Amino acid sequence: MSDNNTVNHMIELTKTNRITIGVVVVLVILLLGFIFMKPAKYAFNTTLDKEIKDLKVTEYQMSPQALAQAILKKDAALVLVDVRSPFEFAKGHLPEAKNIYKINLFSDDQIDFFKDLKKGNKTAVLYGASADEANMPFMILKQMGIDNVKYLNVGYEHMKSGNWAEIAANSLKFNDETPIVDFAQFISDAQKQNQPTSNTTQEVSKPVGDKPKTVVKPKTPAAGGGDEGC
Amino acid sequence: MKKRYIFLALVPIVLSVLLALLPDKSNSIDAKRLAKNLKSAKYTGVSPDKLLLESVNDDRFMQPDELATVIMGQDPSYMLIDLRDAGQFGKFTLPGAINIPSDQILTDENRATFESDAYKYVLISNGTVLSDQVWMILRRAGYDNLKVLNGGLNQFYQLYLNPPKPGELDPSEAFENYRFRKAVGAHLGLPNPDEFIPGGSAAVASPTTTTNKAQTVTKTPTKTVVPKKAASGGDEGC
C-alpha cells in the first residue's frame, strides 16, 4: 500500500513541477517583454480641444514684415529653422537658419534642439518653400507640447531677395486664409451680364447640337465608298 | 505541495491586477469615441511620427482639376466640407458643399458626419493652411478618407476665372485643359475668361473653341462606331 502511495505521489510531483516550470517561463518572458518594451517616444501632449481653439490664433503665424524687422534688429530670441531638403537649403537660405529637413524631425537631436530653445526662452520660426510646407512640422511640434514655434506665412521665395528694409516696409498683409478677391461679386456680375445675352449662349449651344449630324455624314460615304471600291 | 498550488493560483491573480492598473495609453480610437471626452483626449488615433510621414507626402491633396471633375460629374462618393464661417459660406462656395466651420469640427453632430466610410471628405477653406491644420486634427482624432483642396478656394476660383492660356507650341493636352477649365468656369457661373480678361482678344473666337471642344467630345464615341461599319461594309463588298 505504502509503495503505491509513494508512486502516486511521485507522478503528481512531476506533473506540478512541469506546470510550475511552464508558469515561471511565461513570467520570465513577460518580464523580458517589459524590460525591452520601447515606450512610445513621441506623443501628443495637447488636447484636441486646445488645438481647435488654436486654429484661430494668429500669433503662431509670423509675417514677412515682422521677420524682416527681427533680422534687421538681429533679434537673438528668434531662431530660423529651414524645413526644406538639404539640397534646397544648400542652394540658398535665410541668414543663420538651421536646416532641419521636415522628414528628419523625429530624432533626439532635433527634438532636444527645440526643447533647449524653449528653456532659453527663444522662439523657433519654421519656414519652407511655402507657408504650407512649414505649417505641417509646426503643427506636429505644437501638438507635442513644444509651443515656442511659429511658422512663416509666406514661402522662402518671397524672402529670397534679402532686401529686409523693403520687405519690412511692405504694407501688404499675408494670410493664406484671406480671400484674394470677392468671387461672390464676380459670380453675381457674371449672372447679370448673362441675362441679356442669354440668347447668344443658346445660339452657341445650337451648333453643338447640329454639328454631330455633320459628323454622322462622313460615316455613310466611308461605308459606301468601301462598297463602291470593291 | 500546497505551496506550489497557491503560487500557481496567485500568478494569474497578480497579473490581472497589474493589467487593471496599467496606465491608459491605448491608441484604440473606438474606445475614445465611445468615451465622450474625445476633445480632451491626448492619446488618440495616430502617433506624431506616423502623422509626420503622412503630412510630408502629398497624397492628401486634391488638385483643383480633380475636384472640378468631381463637381462636374456630381460624384456622390465625395463630400465637400467648407470650413469657413457661415457668413463666408453664404456668399459663395462650391456646388454641393456643406458648411462645418473649423471650430465646430468635433461637436457630436459633426463628428457623426465624418464617421461614414462611404465618402471621401474634401476639406475646403480659402487657402491651404487652415484646411491642412483641420486635416491634422481630424487625423489625430482617428478619422480617415480625408482630402485637402490644394490651394483652397482662392486658387480654385482663380484658376477657373482666369485659366492660364496655352501657347501656340504647347501640346494639345494644354489646349484641352484650357477648354475644360473654361467649361468648369461656365458651370460655376463665372464670367467667360476671354471676355473678362482686359485686353483678352477675340471674344468671338472663344465660343467656337468651346463648340469645337463639344465636337471632339461627341466625335469620339461616334468615331468608334465608324470603323466597325466600314469594316462590315468592306466584308460585304468582297
Side-chain angles (χ1 to χ4, degrees):
Chain A
M1 280 289 274
S2 67
D3 271 12
N4 213 351
N5 234 342
T6 45
V7 168
N8 273 345
H9 223 90
M10 287 299 283
I11 292 170
E12 199 168 325
L13 188 77
T14 48
K15 259 189 191 169
T16 42
N17 246 346
R18 275 184 201 158
I19 296 172
T20 334
I21 290 167
V23 168
V24 168
V25 167
V26 167
L27 279 182
V28 167
I29 291 171
L30 278 179
L31 196 72
L32 286 176
F34 270 110
I35 290 169
F36 291 106
M37 187 175 68
K38 268 190 187 168
K41 214 170 190 180
Y42 309 108
F44 290 125
N45 288 315
T46 57
T47 62
L48 289 173
D49 215 11
K50 181 188 174 286
E51 291 307 322
I52 290 172
K53 275 179 195 148
D54 277 358
L55 288 174
K56 304 247 155 137
V57 177
T58 49
E59 275 141 44
Y60 288 114
Q61 289 182 31
M62 181 116 203
S63 66
Q65 290 91 339
L67 181 63
Q69 270 164 11
I71 291 173
L72 282 176
K73 272 192 235 159
K74 298 196 170 157
D75 192 346
L78 286 185
V79 178
L80 282 166
V81 175
D82 191 323
V83 300
R84 297 171 308 152
S85 69
F87 177 68
E88 293 289 322
F89 183 77
K91 283 203 285 188
H93 56 85
L94 296 183
E96 289 173 41
K98 180 184 164 76
N99 184 212
I100 297 180
Y101 189 22
K102 53 187 176 175
I103 294 174
N104 303 331
L105 187 65
F106 284 108
S107 76
D108 289 345
D109 292 350
Q110 321 292 22
I111 299 294
D112 285 347
F113 168 74
F114 286 108
K115 282 182 179 161
D116 286 346
L117 285 185
K118 196 177 178 182
K119 273 180 206 157
N121 269 332
K122 289 181 176 179
T123 306
V125 180
L126 306 187
Y127 76 90
S130 63
D132 196 50
E133 193 183 5
N135 173 37
M136 287 280 114
F138 153 79
M139 276 293 279
I140 286 182
L141 287 172
K142 182 162 75 81
Q143 293 182 89
M144 287 170 67
I146 301 170
D147 51 6
N148 58 328
V149 283
K150 292 183 177 191
Y151 68 96
L152 188 63
N153 63 6
V154 294
Y156 169 68
E157 286 296 316
H158 189 90
M159 311 291 285
K160 205 176 166 183
S161 64
N163 198 342
W164 308 123
E166 195 182 287
I167 294 170
N170 194 339
S171 62
L172 280 173
K173 277 190 178 174
F174 297 93
N175 186 343
D176 193 50
E177 208 32 51
T178 37
I180 300 176
V181 277
D182 190 353
F183 293 109
Q185 193 65 41
F186 273 116
I187 294 169
S188 68
D189 282 357
Q191 278 161 356
K192 272 177 211 160
Q193 273 183 7
N194 274 356
Q195 274 163 2
T197 56
S198 59
N199 292 330
T200 54
T201 53
Q202 277 179 358
E203 276 169 32
V204 171
S205 61
K206 269 181 190 171
V208 182
D210 289 343
K211 274 176 186 170
K213 283 177 194 168
T214 56
V215 176
V216 181
K217 279 177 190 171
K219 284 183 207 167
T220 43
D227 285 334
E228 281 171 46
C230 289
Chain B
M1 185 57 77
K2 266 193 177 175
K3 269 184 195 169
R4 217 165 250 157
Y5 283 119
I6 291 169
F7 168 72
L8 285 178
L10 275 179
V11 165
I13 293 170
V14 171
L15 279 180
S16 57
V17 170
L18 273 177
L19 198 65
L21 292 179
L22 277 179
D24 174 24
K25 287 198 175 186
S26 71
N27 277 338
S28 156
I29 307 142
D30 293 324
K32 291 289 175 196
R33 263 185 214 163
L34 287 174
K36 280 185 183 171
N37 58 357
L38 181 69
K39 282 166 91 178
S40 58
K42 285 182 182 174
Y43 306 103
T44 39
V46 187
S47 65
D49 35 348
K50 209 183 151 204
L51 203 50
L52 180 78
L53 283 183
E54 275 185 36
S55 73
V56 164
N57 77 41
D58 289 345
D59 282 355
R60 67 180 183 287
F61 283 131
M62 189 158 198
Q63 302 305 333
D65 280 345
E66 283 176 65
L67 185 60
T69 22
V70 166
I71 292 173
M72 301 284 273
Q74 296 182 328
D75 190 337
S77 67
Y78 285 86
M79 191 185 272
L80 314 185
I81 292 167
D82 193 326
L83 299 166
R84 301 169 306 154
D85 53 39
Q88 290 193 58
F89 176 75
K91 275 190 181 168
F92 76 96
T93 183
L94 291 175
I98 59 165
N99 185 216
I100 300 182
S102 57
D103 51 350
Q104 291 167 26
I105 43 169
L106 285 183
T107 57
D108 287 345
E109 264 175 76
N110 294 333
R111 240 192 288 160
T113 315
F114 293 107
E115 306 266 319
S116 168
D117 286 336
Y119 294 106
K120 290 179 194 118
Y121 303 93
V122 187
L123 304 174
I124 295 161
S125 66
N126 281 327
T128 321
V129 171
L130 179 72
S131 354
D132 242 358
Q133 292 185 342
V134 168
W135 171 85
M136 191 168 269
I137 291 173
L138 286 173
R139 279 300 291 137
R140 219 188 113 185
Y143 295 105
D144 277 324
N145 298 330
L146 301 164
K147 293 263 174 193
V148 171
L149 174 60
N150 196 8
L153 286 174
N154 276 343
Q155 276 190 31
F156 189 86
Y157 272 103
Q158 249 189 350
L159 183 64
Y160 299 113
L161 191 64
N162 191 3
K165 265 195 173 176
E168 277 180 21
L169 295 175
D170 277 342
S172 61
E173 289 129 50
F175 286 90
E176 254 164 52
N177 266 339
Y178 180 64
R179 285 186 222 119
F180 170 72
R181 284 172 183 166
K182 280 210 302 193
V184 174
H187 182 79
L188 295 171
L190 292 167
N192 188 332
D194 293 316
E195 288 167 12
F196 169 71
I197 307 165
S201 53
V204 195
S206 62
T208 54
T209 50
T210 43
T211 50
N212 278 342
K213 199 237 174 163
Q215 270 183 44
T216 49
V217 171
T218 47
K219 254 184 191 175
T220 39
T222 50
K223 255 190 179 177
T224 51
V225 184
V226 174
K228 281 182 200 165
K229 278 190 180 174
S232 65
D235 283 336
E236 281 171 43
C238 295

